[in-house]
């Protein structure tokens, strides 16, 4: 565990240093956040805050992953080899988000990446990873069922579409959670910590390393992202984190566990679905605003209260999730 702690600290301090130097560059480039006119009025004062901060996270993860791969070359080369695809999935999702952010804030295209193009990019990465785990890595098509502590084996024709759906749903859910200073970062930190603890119990070293790197990165990024945020992660960061969570859970054969660990992002997604369906049927709003963290804002909750409440709820759910599979 000594190296895992070291790599966590490396990614933590690397993120801080990158943030110190990158944020001023983003400010000079004027890649500021454009707040929705129909969003909470309190968010209008955030307009101009640098976004695309996910670049900081991506650089930190890439750098720490390279250090980890070099470390394992002479000792356990298989760990380094298996870490690379996991990192590439995360960076791949982040790259799709980066293109979207770039079009929005640099090219001033308010629509950003077309929804179909964005989904196509995420879909390609999800397909490649699902095929990699099932056909090349050969981890099997069995999925662990929480609480029952046994597994079911799915036919490959069902398993691959299912894991693709999990990856797309997870990235979208964490993307929707990113709407209040520090919320997505804090919630994801708790989720990744839980996944890392499970990986430690199962001794899956490549997931332990990736989890340690991402935990360190999130902790470092929170220094700049908590209210009042100096930088937002943008889709670059939220899709990257979604990739980390989903690919790690699938790698551990525990995608169903995300219904517990990531219940907050799931709730954020469900709130949007409910709002749209209810409005189409009644022409009225079920929530004051969605995703649901905006509903609580309009109910008078301060951002710090939302982040604290949602994060603590996630921590409790993560503890339950860990005990459901060990």
């Amino acid at each position: 565990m000594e190296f895992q702690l070291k790599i966590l600290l490396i990614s933590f301090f690397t993120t801080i240093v990158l943030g110190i130097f990158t944020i001023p560059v983003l400010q000079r480039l004027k890649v500021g956040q454009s707040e929705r006119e129909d969003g909470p009025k309190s968010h209008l004062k955030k307009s101009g805050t640098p976004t695309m901060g996910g670049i900081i996270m991506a650089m930190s993860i890439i750098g720490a992953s390279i250090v980890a791969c070099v470390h394992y070359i002479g000792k356990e080369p298989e760990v380094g080899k298996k870490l690379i695809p996991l990192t590439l999935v995360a960076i791949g999702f982040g790259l799709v988000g980066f293109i979207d952010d770039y079009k929005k804030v640099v090219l001033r295209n308010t629509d950003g990446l077309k929804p179909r193009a964005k989904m196509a990019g995420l879909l390609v990465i999800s397909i490649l990873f699902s095929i990699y785990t099932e056909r090349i890595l050969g981890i099997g098509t069995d999925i662990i069922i929480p609480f029952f502590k046994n597994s079911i084996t799915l036919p490959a024709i069902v398993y691959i579409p299912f894991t693709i759906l999990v990856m797309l749903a997870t990235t979208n859910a964490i993307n929707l959670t990113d709407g209040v200073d520090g919320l997505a970062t804090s919630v994801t930190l708790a989720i990744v910590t839980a996944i890392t603890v499970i990986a430690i119990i199962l001794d899956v070293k490549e997931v332990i390393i990736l989890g340690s790197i991402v935990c360190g990165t999130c902790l470092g990024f929170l220094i700049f992202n908590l209210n009042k945020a100096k930088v937002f992660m943008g889709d670059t960061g939220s899709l990257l984190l979604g990739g980390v969570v989903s690919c790690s859970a699938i790698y551990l054969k525990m995608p169903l566990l995300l219904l517990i660990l990531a219940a907050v992002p799931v709730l954020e997604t469900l709130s949007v679905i409910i709002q749209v369906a209810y409005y189409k049927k009644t022409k009225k709003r079920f929530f004051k605003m969605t995703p649901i963290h905006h509903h609580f804002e309009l109910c008078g909750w301060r951002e710090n209260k939302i982040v604290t409440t949602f994060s603590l709820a996630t921590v409790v759910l993560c503890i339950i999730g860990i005990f459901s599979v060990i």
Side-chain angles (χ1 to χ4, degrees), residues 243-303:
V244 171
V245 170
S246 59
C247 75
S248 298
I250 290 169
Y251 199 90
L252 293 175
K253 303 183 179 183
M254 299 181 185
L256 293 178
L257 185 62
L258 292 180
L259 292 173
I260 302 172
L261 303 185
V264 167
V266 169
L267 179 62
E268 297 274 18
T269 305
L270 287 175
S271 70
V272 175
I273 295 172
I274 292 169
Q275 184 86 320
V276 172
Y278 188 77
Y279 186 81
K280 283 184 177 180
K281 188 173 182 179
T282 66
K283 300 302 178 182
K284 297 179 181 179
R285 297 176 185 271
F286 188 85
F287 299 102
K288 292 185 177 181
M289 186 176 292
T290 55
I292 200 168
H293 55 258
H294 289 322
H295 171 80
F296 287 108
E297 277 191 278
L298 295 182
C299 287
W301 286 31
R302 293 183 178 275
E303 289 193 31

Side-chain angles (χ1 to χ4, degrees), residues 150-217:
N150 57 13
S151 60
I152 56 172
T153 301
L154 300 175
I157 196 171
V158 175
Y159 175 83
I160 291 177
F162 173 69
T163 52
I164 290 170
L165 178 63
V166 168
M167 297 185 78
L168 294 176
T170 303
T171 50
N172 183 65
I174 292 180
N175 182 243
L176 288 173
T177 307
D178 181 32
V180 171
D181 295 359
L183 181 59
T185 313
S186 300
V187 168
T188 305
L189 173 61
I191 296 169
V192 175
T193 299
I195 291 173
T196 306
V197 169
I198 294 170
I200 291 171
I201 295 170
L202 300 177
D203 195 31
V204 183
K205 291 182 179 178
E206 50 272 28
V207 177
I208 297 173
I209 294 299
L210 179 63
S212 299
I213 291 171
V214 175
C215 285
T217 299

Side-chain angles (χ1 to χ4, degrees), residues 84-95 125-126 128-129 167 239-240 243-244 246-247:
I84 292 172
L86 293 173
T87 304
L88 288 176
V89 169
I91 300 304
F93 277 117
L95 181 59
I125 298 168
S126 301
L128 290 175
F129 182 74
M167 297 185 78
L239 294 184
L240 182 152
V244 171
S246 59
C247 75

